Amino acid sequence: MKKAMVGIVGIICLLMISGMNAQEVNIAAEVSQDDLRLTVYTNNMAIVQDTRTVTLTAGLNQIDFAGIPAQIDSTSVTLNVGHLLQQNIIPPDPDTSFTHLFQENIGHPVSFLMESGATIEGILTSVNGAELLIRLEDGRTSGIYTGDVDNYVFSIYPEDRQEEYTLRLLVDVPSSGNQQLTLTYITNGISWQSVDYNLSMVDDQTNLSAWVTLQNATNTTFETAQVVLAAGDFNRVDFVARDAGFTPATPTAMMTPTPNVYQQPTAVVFPVPMPITLEAAETQWVEFLPSGETQARNIYVYDSSPRVYNSTSFITEATYGVTSFVGVSNYLEFESGVAMPGGQMRIYETRPDGNQVLIGDTPINYIEAEQAVYIFLNESALLTGERSQQDFQVLSNDAVQETIRILLTNNTDEAVQIDVPERMTRSSSWEILAASMPFEYSDGFGVEFAVDVPPMSSVEVSYTVMYTRPQ
């Protein structure tokens, strides 16, 4: 009985297969190419969404998607309409080679633009590998080596020959008519590199622009494509996020301004603002941020207090953290208003004489859309600071008290504001007992003074803090 049932099932399967084979397959006609989208990664990979309108008939349809890159991952192919039963890649016809074109044009007029700039026209009389013979208008015969030819014009071109890779699909659809199909697939051979930013400062105006490097190593040109740049880690063994390796723009960790050390979230995408044509086998530099005015200002920071190493410690050494650091750092603060992938930032300044000079060239990390960016420019030669300990007392085994004095000097002819971050690093348990001017608590480790210093003047800041042993 079991053998009989197996035999019946086998017969039914054979009948179903033979019925499908006997069913007529409609050769679908493409009506239009409607949309093309690329999500480009940094690891030689892109996701392509190719939308076309095709005339289909209910039942089986053969659909040809021409212009497919040879590097396509055919296992990644999906289609939004019908039931995809089968796919195969049709390579270009070998007869589309120049050798075949030469052979077909023997006895016909041809025109060659030589690398020297000269144009040679005549009747092609023979082809021997890379050597051609042409009968010129005056009856003379001229020999030409194909390596010296920059461009060709033939009289005869092969008709109905496949000149690009085509993805042929067998699809079962429920209804007839014009239908919009979106073919989605992954291809290798396409990638983007880090973005190059240019910040130009002229008087009180600051303009920001950016370029991204796109590499298309495939055999396919993607016409008028909407492109987004994808960055961030995802679960693919051979992928390493490029942006994760960028160093912060600031030379040292600072409490204020907050340095550009944001970690890029997973799978962030950055849209390229305008549709672009990504030519086959080419590297292109595409505008990522259109040049536009942005708000920017100089920030001056005197940052000389010791770094926080261990928040559970209680340091009672009298000379700990006493420094005589004199440098005031000059930072440029700006907001782009859009998310920016990591890259290289160049900063230009136009001098009063009209000459533009490069005043900064530094890598930056991923920047969130509403995040203020601080870029270190230089150490000011005309703004100085000095930090000293005015008093230190051991109150008990569990408490010490310290008074710090900071002297800021402005040797310029303009008033400036200097931010002074002070870290309370002797203990994580502390309290400000007195201060010579208002301050803000910046985080759990310290306070921040914003000090206005008149031109050609000095201003003193002092505060007293009590530390107690952490519980």
Side-chain angles (χ1 to χ4, degrees), residues 42-331:
T42 58
N43 65 327
N44 196 40
M45 186 194 86
I47 299 173
V48 180
Q49 294 171 270
D50 189 344
T51 301
R52 308 183 188 187
T53 297
V54 178
T55 303
L56 302 175
T57 299
L60 295 180
N61 291 261
Q62 176 186 299
I63 306 172
D64 285 353
F65 273 79
I68 299 298
Q71 296 88 338
I72 184 176
D73 180 354
S74 57
T75 64
S76 68
V77 172
T78 62
L79 195 67
N80 68 324
V81 172
H83 181 197
L84 179 57
L85 301 171
Q86 181 180 316
Q87 58 168 308
N88 59 300
I89 296 175
I90 312 298
D93 285 338
D95 286 346
T96 57
S97 65
F98 276 120
T99 301
H100 180 77
L101 288 172
F102 291 142
Q103 294 290 344
E104 288 205 2
N105 279 272
I106 290 177
H108 296 278
V110 293
S111 176
F112 297 151
L113 176 63
M114 310 302 291
E115 288 186 345
S116 63
T119 299
I120 299 178
E121 297 179 341
I123 304 298
L124 183 62
T125 59
S126 70
V127 177
N128 182 16
E131 296 179 356
L132 312 175
L133 286 181
I134 294 179
R135 186 172 68 250
L136 304 178
E137 290 183 358
D138 59 7
R140 292 183 299 114
T141 298
S142 176
I144 293 178
Y145 175 62
T146 57
D148 296 330
V149 181
D150 188 56
N151 199 11
Y152 306 84
V153 177
F154 298 103
S155 296
I156 297 176
Y157 289 90
E159 296 181 359
D160 300 325
R161 296 187 187 275
Q162 177 68 28
E163 298 184 4
E164 55 191 354
Y165 284 86
T166 295
L167 183 64
R168 178 162 292 171
L169 308 176
L170 182 63
V171 183
D172 188 9
V173 299
S175 58
S176 300
N178 289 347
Q179 300 187 41
Q180 197 172 64
L181 310 183
T182 297
L183 178 74
T184 302
Y185 59 87
I186 291 174
T187 182
N188 293 320
I190 304 177
S191 62
W192 69 276
Q193 306 300 316
S194 61
V195 179
D196 290 290
Y197 299 95
N198 295 299
L199 195 68
S200 178
M201 297 188 295
V202 183
D203 297 328
D204 295 331
Q205 292 185 341
T206 304
N207 289 284
L208 176 66
S209 63
W211 296 84
V212 61
T213 305
L214 287 170
Q215 295 176 326
N216 179 12
T218 74
N219 59 297
T220 298
T221 293
F222 297 91
E223 298 272 357
T224 319
Q226 297 281 352
V227 177
V228 297
L229 313 177
D233 204 0
F234 65 100
N235 189 22
R236 198 184 197 204
V237 173
D238 63 347
F239 178 79
V240 177
R242 296 180 62 96
D243 283 73
F246 288 119
T247 56
T250 50
T252 58
M254 293 174 50
M255 184 170 64
T256 292
T258 303
N260 177 30
V261 294
Y262 282 78
Q263 292 298 312
Q264 181 166 277
T266 302
V268 177
V269 293
F270 308 93
V272 175
M274 298 289 290
I276 62 172
T277 294
L278 197 56
E279 299 287 347
E282 283 193 6
T283 298
Q284 295 176 237
W285 289 265
V286 178
E287 186 180 56
F288 174 68
L289 284 180
S291 179
E293 187 174 351
T294 185
Q295 297 297 321
R297 66 188 183 104
N298 286 92
I299 299 290
Y300 299 101
V301 180
Y302 179 68
D303 182 18
S304 63
S305 62
R307 301 296 184 260
V308 176
Y309 295 110
N310 187 349
S311 61
T312 62
S313 62
F314 180 57
I315 301 172
T316 59
E317 179 186 349
T319 58
Y320 170 76
V322 177
T323 62
S324 183
F325 186 74
V326 297
V328 173
S329 300
N330 182 9
Y331 292 83

Side-chain angles (χ1 to χ4, degrees), residues 300-304 324-330 379-387 406-412 416-420 451 453-454 456-461:
Y300 299 101
V301 180
Y302 179 68
D303 182 18
S304 63
S324 183
F325 186 74
V326 297
V328 173
S329 300
N330 182 9
E379 296 290 338
S380 174
L382 300 176
L383 302 176
T384 61
E386 183 178 353
R387 184 178 187 273
I406 299 161
L407 181 65
L408 302 173
T409 300
N410 176 11
N411 292 312
T412 74
V416 298
Q417 183 182 87
I418 301 177
D419 294 333
V420 182
V451 185
V453 186
M456 306 304 296
S457 301
S458 296
V459 174
E460 180 180 307
V461 181

Side-chain angles (χ1 to χ4, degrees), residues 382-403:
L382 300 176
L383 302 176
T384 61
E386 183 178 353
R387 184 178 187 273
S388 60
Q389 183 189 74
Q390 297 297 104
D391 182 53
F392 181 79
Q393 301 179 39
V394 177
L395 304 180
S396 69
N397 289 335
D398 297 322
V400 296
Q401 182 173 300
E402 184 177 38
T403 299

